[in-house]
Each structure stands twice: as structure tokens, then as C-alpha cells.
Amino acid sequence: MTGRNQSTISEFLLLGLPIQPEHHNLFYALFLTTYLTTVLGNLIIIVLIHLDSHLHTPMYLFLSNLSFSDLCFSSVTIPKLLQTMQSQIPTIPYAGCLTQMYFFLFFGDLESFLLVAMAYDRYVAICFPLHYPTIMSPKLCLSLVVLSWVLTVFHAMLHTLLMARLCFCAENVIPHFFCDMSALLKLSCSDTHVNELVIFITAGLILVIPFVLIVVSYGHIVSSILKVPSVQGIRKAFSTCGSHLSVVSLFYGTVIGLYLCPSANNSTVKDTVMALMYTVVTPMLNPFIYSLRNRDMKEAIGRILKKIPFSL
């Protein structure tokens, strides 16, 4: 590949979503509302956990990091999607495309690791309640959070550097609403076998193994709960596990189905729909499922509101 051909691509064209023109304004308002809801919901969680000392526990430490990850994860793609829907020529610079891909991978991986930490926290709390303060020590919790951040930095950087070594010749149209790895690999005129192999291997380490650990953790939780002859306790535990597992299934199911399948077998519509599920829907639902319907969070809101002086 000549240097001349390698330098022809300075920007990419994002096709966005396959939306009919008559539905354009409706979907723009829908995505804007979804993004604002995501930002507001996750900011409320972060602020409440920071202000209320009753929430300074391992579970809410992980939850505050998860909320921050969700907020940033949505901010990587949705603002650009909204801009694309309003632009006549929706382009993104080459460097901007790689930057978006890096942060997309970073915050997506971070959420995966944090979901594992939260599942482990619930496993210890339910299966070993007497030893919970000893096992989930502040040092261990902080180590889990730091480890999650460090691993995601290296994983995102690995894929970004591998993508940067590829050549993009004449085709620059990305049939997606963001710079997704699979879409970029299809445009490259270089050999992408190394990239696809690394994606397959790291996906097993970053996605499949954490997902299996979560399932195993909740399997032990269910087994432990069934041994307790308390109908109310069983109902409460199953409700908590069901909510968590529903989001875990939504997030991991779409990501695994998208990135562990060979790129040639994925249709554009399938890629777009699955990407929307874990970039738009999941970050918006997490605040409601994990916190805003949580009794501790409601009590924290009440305590914070009592501290605010109201004057007529």
C-alpha cells in the first residue's frame, strides 16, 4: 500500500441510523430525552453517594463508579449521534474517530468489570453476611475499582493502536452512528486478521469470563437463599437478583453477540440495533434499576432534602 493511498482518508462519513425522514424529528427528540435522563439519573446517584455518609459502603462505591461509567459511555456516542442527525454532511475526523473508539471501549470495559465487582459484593453479603465487613474491606474495594480502571486503559489502548496501524484507502462511509471497531475493520484495505484475532481473544477475557463469574455468583446467591425458610427474604433476594441479571443480560448479551460473531456475518441493521441497546438503553435503565428504586437511595434523598433550607 503506497503512502499516497494511505493518506487519502482524513475523515469518515457516519451514516447514522436508518430512520425514515418523516420520523427524523421524533427519534431526535427521543434520543435527546434519553440522553438527558441518563445524565440526570446518573448524576443524582453520584451526588447522593458523595453527600450521604450512610451510602459510603462497598456496594455504593461500585455503584458510583458504574454511574460515572454509564454517564461517560452515553456521552461518547449520543451527542455525536444527535449532531449527525442535524448535520447535512455528518463527518468525523480520522483522529476523532479513533478517539471515540478508544473511550467507547474504555467505558464499556469499565462497566463490565464493575458489574462483576457488584455481583461479588452481593455474593459476599448474602452468602457470608457475618464476614462481610472483613472480606469487603475498604482496601479490597478500592483495589477492585483501581484494577478495573487500569485493565480498561490497557485494553482500549491495545485495540486503538491496532486500528491505527491499518490503512484506509478510498471507502470512508461508516454505516453506523459511531466509530465501531467492526465497521472500521470492514472499511480497511489492510489485513485485519490480527485485529479480529485480538478481538476474539480479549473479548473472552473482558466479556465472557466476567459474565460467567456473575452467573456463578448469582447461582451461589440463589442456592443460599433457597436454604433460608423466609418467604419475604426469598422474594426480596430474587427481586434484587432479577433486576441485576436483567441488565447484565441486556448488556452482555448484545455485546457478546456483536463482537464474538465474525464481522462478515453481522448485518448493518443488527449491528445498529444491538449497539443502541447497550449504548443508549442500558445506561438509562441502570439508575432506575440499581438506585432510584432502592430504599437506601430514597432515604438518602430524604435526608439531603431535610438539610436544604427552604424559604418562602
Side-chain angles (χ1 to χ4, degrees):
M1 196 62 56
T2 64
R4 179 174 174 269
N5 287 335
Q6 294 179 27
S7 61
T8 54
I9 298 298
S10 60
E11 62 182 15
F12 294 98
L13 179 66
L14 294 172
L15 292 186
L17 301 176
I19 301 175
Q20 297 296 328
E22 59 270 20
H23 300 148
H24 189 274
N25 292 334
L26 174 62
F27 276 93
Y28 182 87
L30 176 63
F31 287 125
L32 178 60
T33 302
T34 300
Y35 178 63
L36 294 178
T37 303
T38 301
V39 172
L40 180 61
N42 285 290
L43 279 178
I44 290 176
I45 293 173
I46 295 172
V47 172
L48 282 177
I49 294 175
H50 177 73
L51 294 179
D52 195 289
S53 59
H54 294 84
L55 300 180
H56 294 174
T57 62
M59 183 180 71
Y60 291 104
L61 170 65
F62 299 137
L63 186 56
S64 63
N65 280 269
L66 181 68
S67 296
F68 179 77
S69 176
D70 283 334
L71 192 157
C72 295
F73 193 44
S74 293
S75 299
V76 170
T77 56
I78 299 184
K80 185 60 182 179
L81 170 61
L82 295 174
Q83 180 188 4
T84 300
M85 296 179 71
Q86 292 295 316
S87 176
Q88 297 295 329
I89 306 178
T91 60
I92 182 171
Y94 174 80
C97 190
L98 291 184
T99 301
Q100 185 187 53
M101 191 192 80
Y102 171 82
F103 285 107
F104 177 84
L105 291 171
F106 178 85
F107 291 111
D109 294 345
L110 182 60
E111 179 156 350
S112 177
F113 286 120
L114 291 173
L115 287 174
V116 176
M118 294 176 69
Y120 178 71
D121 174 77
R122 293 299 84 199
Y123 162 72
V124 176
I126 295 177
C127 297
F128 305 98
L130 298 180
H131 300 283
Y132 178 81
T134 304
I135 298 176
M136 298 303 296
S137 63
K139 182 179 180 180
L140 175 62
C141 296
L142 183 60
S143 298
L144 290 175
V145 172
V146 172
L147 180 62
S148 299
W149 282 80
V150 171
L151 290 177
T152 55
V153 168
F154 285 107
H155 180 250
M157 183 61 68
L158 171 63
H159 287 294
T160 304
L161 293 177
L162 287 176
M163 187 65 68
R165 57 181 276 275
L166 300 180
C167 300
F168 297 90
C169 305
E171 184 64 39
N172 72 330
V173 179
I174 300 177
H176 219 308
F177 63 93
F178 69 98
C179 293
D180 180 62
M181 275 197 305
S182 59
L184 287 173
L185 289 178
K186 294 175 184 178
L187 295 180
S188 176
C189 52
S190 302
D191 185 2
T192 62
H193 285 90
V194 174
N195 296 68
E196 293 176 350
L197 178 62
V198 173
I199 289 174
F200 184 82
I201 294 175
T202 58
L205 299 175
I206 302 297
L207 296 174
V208 177
I209 293 179
F211 178 71
V212 171
L213 290 176
I214 291 175
V215 173
V216 171
S217 296
Y218 275 98
H220 284 290
I221 289 175
V222 172
S223 176
S224 177
I225 291 300
L226 291 177
K227 299 177 182 178
V228 180
S230 171
V231 177
Q232 183 178 0
I234 294 176
R235 185 183 298 113
K236 182 178 179 180
F238 271 111
S239 176
T240 303
C241 294
S243 298
H244 190 189
L245 285 177
S246 63
V247 174
V248 167
S249 300
L250 181 63
F251 177 79
Y252 282 101
T254 52
V255 175
I256 291 175
L258 182 59
Y259 291 110
L260 288 188
C261 295
S263 58
N265 294 338
N266 281 337
S267 67
T268 301
V269 175
K270 175 189 173 184
D271 288 354
T272 303
V273 172
M274 295 177 71
L276 282 173
M277 291 299 291
Y278 69 85
T279 60
V280 178
V281 178
T282 303
M284 181 190 67
L285 292 179
N286 283 352
F288 296 96
I289 294 178
Y290 288 120
S291 299
L292 299 184
R293 296 176 59 185
N294 183 287
R295 186 183 63 181
D296 293 337
M297 296 298 294
K298 291 181 180 180
E299 293 177 352
I301 293 176
R303 287 190 292 267
I304 296 299
L305 291 178
K306 290 179 180 179
K307 296 180 181 179
I308 301 177
F310 293 96
S311 57
L312 296 178

